[in-house]
Amino acid sequence: MLLKGNQGNAYSDEISSLVTKVNNYDKSYYVSSVEKAALFSRKHHKGQLRASGEEYFSHPLEVAHILADIKLDSLTIIVALLHDVVEDTEVTLSEIEEHFGSKVTELLDGVTKLTRIENKSESVVQAKNFKKLILAISKDIRVLIVKLADRLHNMRTLCHIQKPEKRYKKSQETLEIYAPLAERIGMQALKKELQDLAFNEVYPEVKASIMTRLELLRSSDGKTIATIQDIIASILADSGIGAEVSGREKSPYSIWEKMQKKMVSFEQLSDVMAFRVTVDNVEDCYRALGAIHSKYHMVPGLFKDFISLPKKNFYQSLHSIVIGPGKKRVEIQIRTKEMHRVAEYGIAAHWTYKQDEFYYPDVKTNNWLKELINILNTSSDSGEFLENTKMEMYDDQVFCFTPKGGVVALPKGASAIDFAYSVHSDLGNKCVGVKINHKLAPLRTLLQNGDQVEIITSKDHKPLPSWEKFVVTGKALNEIRKSIREEKTKEYMNLGRVLLAQLLEKRGIKMSDEILNDIRSFYDKNTVEDLFTTIGEGRISQNNILKKISSMHSDGNSHEDEVELSFPQQKSINQVSIKGLIPGVAVHYAPCCSPIPGDNIVGIQQVKKGIVVHISDCEVLQNYSQFPETWLDLSWDRDSAKSVYSAMLKVVCLNKPGSLAVIAIEASKYGCNISNFRISSRAPDFFDILIDVEVRGLSQLSNIKTALLSKACIHSVERFSKD
Ligand code: MN
């Protein structure tokens, strides 16, 4: 590292080059004080270092250079040199007044206030003081200009010198407050640099993905910027227009901004090249436009004439997008040299070109300030004002890419499932997995800005009810519910078909189209499927159907008495095994008792729920004692043990470290997963813990119970039922 700072006359060369620079364009009263201010600042900042290790004075000196480069008046340069003196050294404002007079003091006071507001961390404080900030600058806009240059230099030297959180915060502030302010006073060049520096910090992944795609575009596209630039230049030369043409690739930030504003994908955003044509006078602007339009088609609706209708910040230019060489869309801006100066330096350009007389706009003559003060007077609270001034950052949204580069905008908190549904319903319904930035990730993963999301699908897959918890978009939620509803209807239909077949079989009747049709028309259903569904849902009781079947067969049938006699027997339990119900039947395990294979079980046919399986001595079953027709006698199929079932255990254990770990270790020893864990009561001596364990059957569960009971810290273990 250069130890320039240790010498007493550090930065002498830079100081004299600054003085020369300012002398070249400013001959006013204050020029003589520029060197004095530099030396004063160097003297008082002496011994202070920047986080980078450089002497602190290098910072105000650089800020002054930034402003001298855009030819700001010497008063502004002096304030820039002194801008941190009052805040960071022992120097007082009255000393400043003594040495530099009241005008410098007034401006410096404004800058110092802004610095103090800036250093307050809470956003409320910031919002509240933002009004003061604007009021302060509205007295003299040069205060804001110094502050913007200060911020620019701090952003330029941001890397590796501060904590990541602080860097992030400064960068966000830059995007939300300072860049829009620079835009408002028309300082394009400064605004762009601020945005690009901050963008890199706040959205590094988005920037990286845009850079990658730009790279791709460059290599795939034959026409380079240089070629197109030459082509445009020769078109203008052929028309006898003296012009300078310069081409550039748009900055990653401006590309991103455009993608957001227009909600287009990078691929659709083909005009990533921009060309500027600078001519001598206004007439040539329109001639140049004519020459280009007669050679290349303009894209309708995108031509803008900011020469006859300048922007509020005085910006003037002709903008057009044409289908240029190689059928590439290119953006073209045509302006005079003077317009270009205003575009780059904005308000600063307006008072530096009045020969030796320096003039700076005051509130009366400056539209921008008038408008700003108007907002201040009409906004009731400063938060609202900040809101109006904040650039639209869409910070409630995330932007992700499809593998092909399309942009998908989602609300913050969206998951891969939301992404899939927002691309296409079918993609959502069939999605089984996701690759985020080329790596497999859980479907519930929250998406971040710039993520590339690739959905993996399977033809037979159906949405799961648990997905409802991971989605935030209405479309995804709707589609998931719709699909689950359809699935359920199918299950009920199958269940209804099985139940009806069994009822008929018991009455010795074969299921035929004719009989089904009779029953269907009796219940006034449009289709046999509707009939099955209604029966499956339990909306027609089996008793009712039995009566109907019996009455149907009583006509001209001598078995009437028999039917009457046998009817009461049907109140007994239906003989349906779980195995028998399996094809497409909705079966639920009752959450009150959580049956597992090995338990004696019964099923209850419930409206809209299908069959709910309970342990046969579950207390909840009492509620159904009045409705024997809803009971189904179930038994476990031998294949049941191939799945896992959830059982609840209540464990009472000592309130001491390690007790919970013992439970987890024992459960895993017996190959069972704990799916839920909650402490139901916590006394100084004992815990009551409810755990949901996933087991294959009763014997595995009793193994775990025994193992737990053998531990010293476990007091008791019981199978648990909710009341
Ligand atoms: Mn500073």
Side-chain angles (χ1 to χ4, degrees):
M1 192 203 302
L2 270 158
L3 290 175
K4 268 181 168 175
N6 289 343
Q7 300 152 23
N9 55 354
Y11 299 104
S12 292
D13 292 350
E14 286 84 350
I15 292 172
S16 57
S17 86
L18 177 72
V19 173
T20 315
K21 224 185 252 180
V22 180
N23 262 303
N24 277 339
Y25 62 83
D26 189 354
K27 310 276 184 244
S28 72
Y29 164 77
Y30 285 102
V31 168
S32 57
S33 296
V34 171
E35 186 172 16
K36 186 179 159 196
L39 299 177
F40 186 90
S41 176
R42 183 174 73 180
K43 180 177 151 199
H44 290 281
H45 282 301
K46 197 172 180 195
Q48 295 177 342
L49 297 177
R50 301 202 82 205
S52 61
E54 266 180 299
E55 189 161 330
Y56 194 87
F57 174 62
S58 66
H59 165 64
L61 183 61
E62 258 319 303
V63 175
H65 267 286
I66 289 171
L67 295 171
D69 286 340
I70 54 174
K71 299 187 175 154
L72 275 154
D73 66 317
S74 47
L75 183 61
T76 311
I77 305 299
I78 291 167
V79 174
L81 286 165
L82 300 174
H83 83 268
D84 279 331
V85 163
V86 175
E87 186 63 6
D88 293 342
T89 74
E90 300 293 304
V91 175
T92 63
L93 277 173
S94 50
E95 280 172 75
I96 298 286
E97 183 149 15
E98 205 178 291
H99 286 95
F100 299 97
S102 61
K103 191 66 198 165
V104 170
T105 312
E106 191 190 309
L107 296 189
L108 199 53
D109 188 31
V111 178
T112 305
K113 278 180 187 141
L114 293 197
T115 307
R116 285 176 187 156
I117 292 162
E118 196 181 16
N119 291 339
K120 293 251 162 55
S121 57
E122 299 149 70
S123 66
V124 189
V125 176
Q126 201 186 22
K128 217 171 164 186
N129 284 292
F130 199 74
K131 199 167 178 174
K132 287 186 204 156
L133 182 154
I134 303 296
L135 282 171
I137 60 158
S138 66
K139 281 182 201 147
D140 194 312
I141 199 155
R142 286 173 293 188
V143 172
L144 172 64
I145 293 173
V146 171
K147 202 63 219 166
L148 288 172
D150 176 35
R151 176 56 67 125
L152 177 61
H153 186 245
N154 283 333
M155 289 301 295
R156 278 181 187 170
T157 52
L158 192 65
C159 43
H160 313 304
I161 60 167
Q162 281 171 331
K163 286 184 193 149
E165 318 87 76
K166 202 174 171 189
R167 282 216 311 254
Y168 183 85
K169 192 194 150 243
K170 290 274 167 206
S171 303
Q172 212 168 26
E173 237 172 51
T174 300
L175 285 179
E176 290 182 356
I177 297 167
Y178 292 93
L181 282 174
E183 157 90 35
R184 293 292 278 274
I185 56 172
M187 299 177 85
Q188 288 292 332
L190 201 142
K191 179 199 81 172
K192 274 186 193 148
E193 194 178 345
L194 282 176
Q195 284 175 335
D196 285 337
L197 291 167
F199 184 49
N200 204 21
E201 286 291 324
V202 180
Y203 301 103
E205 330 84 68
V206 182
K207 188 182 173 187
S209 67
I210 289 174
M211 295 297 278
T212 311
R213 287 178 168 76
L214 271 177
E215 199 82 54
L216 210 80
L217 209 72
R218 259 180 241 133
S219 58
S220 70
D221 174 42
K223 300 278 185 225
T224 63
I225 287 174
T227 353
I228 298 177
Q229 189 177 310
D230 289 348
I231 295 171
I232 295 172
S234 67
I235 291 171
L236 296 172
D238 291 350
S239 313
I241 302 163
E244 270 174 47
V245 182
S246 72
R248 63 184 170 88
E249 199 168 68
K250 289 180 184 173
S251 72
Y253 182 84
S254 65
I255 289 173
W256 185 68
E257 210 182 14
K258 203 161 202 173
M259 283 162 76
Q260 290 185 71
K261 269 191 194 144
K262 303 201 168 162
M263 286 293 149
V264 295
S265 72
F266 190 84
E267 280 178 338
Q268 289 168 280
L269 198 83
S270 43
D271 51 332
V272 294
M273 291 184 200
F275 295 86
R276 188 171 54 236
V277 176
T278 326
V279 294
D280 291 329
N281 52 55
V282 174
E283 208 192 325
D284 280 354
C285 290
Y286 292 100
R287 287 177 60 212
L289 180 78
I292 293 167
H293 276 185
S294 66
K295 183 87 182 171
Y296 298 112
H297 287 296
M298 64 181 279
V299 180
L302 296 177
F303 168 70
K304 285 188 186 109
D305 185 347
F306 293 117
I307 292 180
S308 67
L309 279 175
K311 287 191 186 180
K312 272 182 190 139
N313 60 19
F314 312 118
Y315 176 86
Q316 287 185 295
S317 234
L318 298 175
H319 286 193
S320 186
I321 292 177
V322 298
I323 311 294
K327 300 268 174 258
K328 278 243 72 80
R329 276 163 63 120
V330 296
E331 187 181 308
I332 301 198
Q333 300 175 350
I334 305 166
R335 53 177 84 139
T336 65
K337 292 191 181 84
E338 178 56 22
M339 288 172 191
H340 181 57
R341 266 177 44 75
V342 175
E344 294 292 291
Y345 309 127
I347 214 161
H350 280 271
W351 76 77
T352 56
Y353 238 54
K354 304 250 171 177
Q355 293 167 347
D356 290 350
E357 247 286 320
F358 271 89
Y359 131 86
Y360 35 86
D362 61 18
V363 177
K364 278 179 224 125
T365 59
N366 187 303
N367 286 334
W368 174 72
L369 286 178
K370 264 192 220 157
E371 191 200 57
L372 210 55
I373 286 159
N374 218 1
I375 300 172
L376 281 174
N377 291 337
T378 51
S379 304
S380 50
D381 72 300
S382 40
E384 186 191 329
F385 174 64
L386 185 63
E387 208 52 50
N388 290 336
T389 313
K390 252 188 190 182
M391 188 167 49
E392 278 182 283
M393 286 304 299
Y394 299 93
D395 51 10
D396 52 346
Q397 279 183 288
V398 287
F399 294 87
C400 302
F401 293 103
T402 66
K404 284 184 180 166
V407 169
V408 178
L410 294 162
K412 207 165 211 168
S415 65
I417 301 171
D418 287 300
F419 180 93
Y421 276 107
S422 92
V423 174
H424 197 280
S425 309
D426 220 35
L427 192 64
N429 285 330
K430 298 201 176 341
C431 89
V432 287
V434 62
K435 278 184 179 174
I436 296 175
N437 304 324
H438 310 291
K439 268 190 230 145
L440 275 172
L443 276 172
R444 61 172 183 277
T445 309
L446 294 190
L447 298 175
Q448 307 292 326
N449 259 326
D451 278 348
Q452 181 182 304
V453 185
E454 185 185 342
I455 298 294
I456 302 162
T457 57
S458 158
K459 221 172 51 201
D460 305 319
H461 197 261
K462 303 264 161 47
L464 303 173
S466 61
W467 287 4
E468 285 189 23
K469 285 181 242 155
F470 312 137
V471 300
V472 295
T473 53
K475 185 180 183 199
L477 197 61
N478 252 339
E479 292 286 343
I480 293 168
R481 288 188 175 155
K482 193 174 118 203
S483 156
I484 289 169
R485 227 173 17 242
E486 284 168 3
E487 234 7 66
K488 267 193 181 157
T489 307
K490 238 186 266 171
E491 286 182 8
Y492 289 133
M493 199 180 78
N494 289 331
L495 175 62
R497 188 199 306 273
V498 172
L499 289 174
L500 188 58
Q502 285 176 346
L503 287 172
L504 289 168
E505 201 184 337
K506 269 174 208 153
R507 305 301 305 134
I509 303 164
K510 228 179 158 239
M511 189 141 109
S512 68
D513 287 353
E514 197 194 342
I515 286 184
L516 283 180
N517 219 27
D518 279 353
I519 304 173
R520 178 195 64 74
S521 65
F522 176 77
Y523 287 108
D524 202 20
K525 296 289 162 199
N526 289 330
T527 63
V528 177
E529 284 73 23
D530 281 353
L531 173 70
F532 290 152
T533 308
T534 316
I535 296 171
E537 285 174 356
R539 285 193 277 143
I540 305 173
S541 80
Q542 292 175 45
N543 246 337
N544 196 310
I545 296 169
L546 273 171
K547 277 184 190 156
K548 170 61 192 155
I549 295 169
S550 303
S551 71
M552 271 163 41
H553 285 260
S554 66
D555 300 331
N557 191 316
S558 61
H559 293 295
E560 191 177 343
D561 288 349
E562 205 183 312
V563 170
E564 289 276 279
L565 274 174
S566 67
F567 182 69
Q569 289 171 3
Q570 291 303 323
K571 278 162 87 182
S572 72
I573 292 160
N574 293 298
Q575 297 292 322
V576 183
S577 73
I578 277 197
K579 195 183 189 177
L581 280 178
I582 284 305
V585 170
V587 176
H588 305 276
Y589 297 99
C592 44
C593 51
S594 304
I596 60 172
D599 287 329
N600 289 323
I601 47 171
V602 292
I604 297 292
Q605 195 198 342
Q606 269 180 276
V607 178
K608 286 272 177 192
K609 256 194 179 168
I611 292 167
V612 183
V613 182
H614 292 261
I615 295 177
S616 55
D617 58 3
C618 176
E619 286 180 25
V620 172
L621 289 174
Q622 282 176 7
N623 303 341
Y624 300 95
S625 57
Q626 303 302 307
F627 313 101
E629 75 278 4
T630 64
W631 289 57
L632 299 161
D633 192 12
L634 303 176
S635 61
W636 296 98
D637 167 34
R638 213 184 307 158
D639 286 341
S640 305
K642 282 180 184 158
S643 319
V644 291
Y645 300 84
S646 193
M648 263 182 292
L649 292 177
K650 181 179 168 183
V651 181
V652 179
C653 70
L654 280 177
N655 186 352
K656 68 167 204 190
S659 293
L660 300 184
V662 165
I663 297 171
I665 290 163
E666 289 307 311
S668 80
K669 241 190 226 171
Y670 287 90
C672 97
N673 185 34
I674 293 179
S675 60
N676 200 357
F677 205 106
R678 57 211 174 274
I679 294 171
S680 65
S681 80
R682 182 191 288 234
D685 48 351
F686 285 103
F687 276 157
D688 283 7
I689 300 162
L690 295 178
I691 57 176
D692 292 351
V693 287
E694 288 173 347
V695 291
R696 294 188 186 285
L698 213 48
S699 63
Q700 193 188 4
L701 189 67
S702 65
N703 283 341
I704 295 159
K705 277 165 75 179
T706 320
L708 286 174
L709 277 171
S710 71
K711 299 292 159 191
C713 62
I714 308 282
H715 174 258
S716 68
V717 181
E718 286 172 301
R719 184 83 177 272
F720 183 75
S721 276
K722 282 181 215 152
D723 302 321

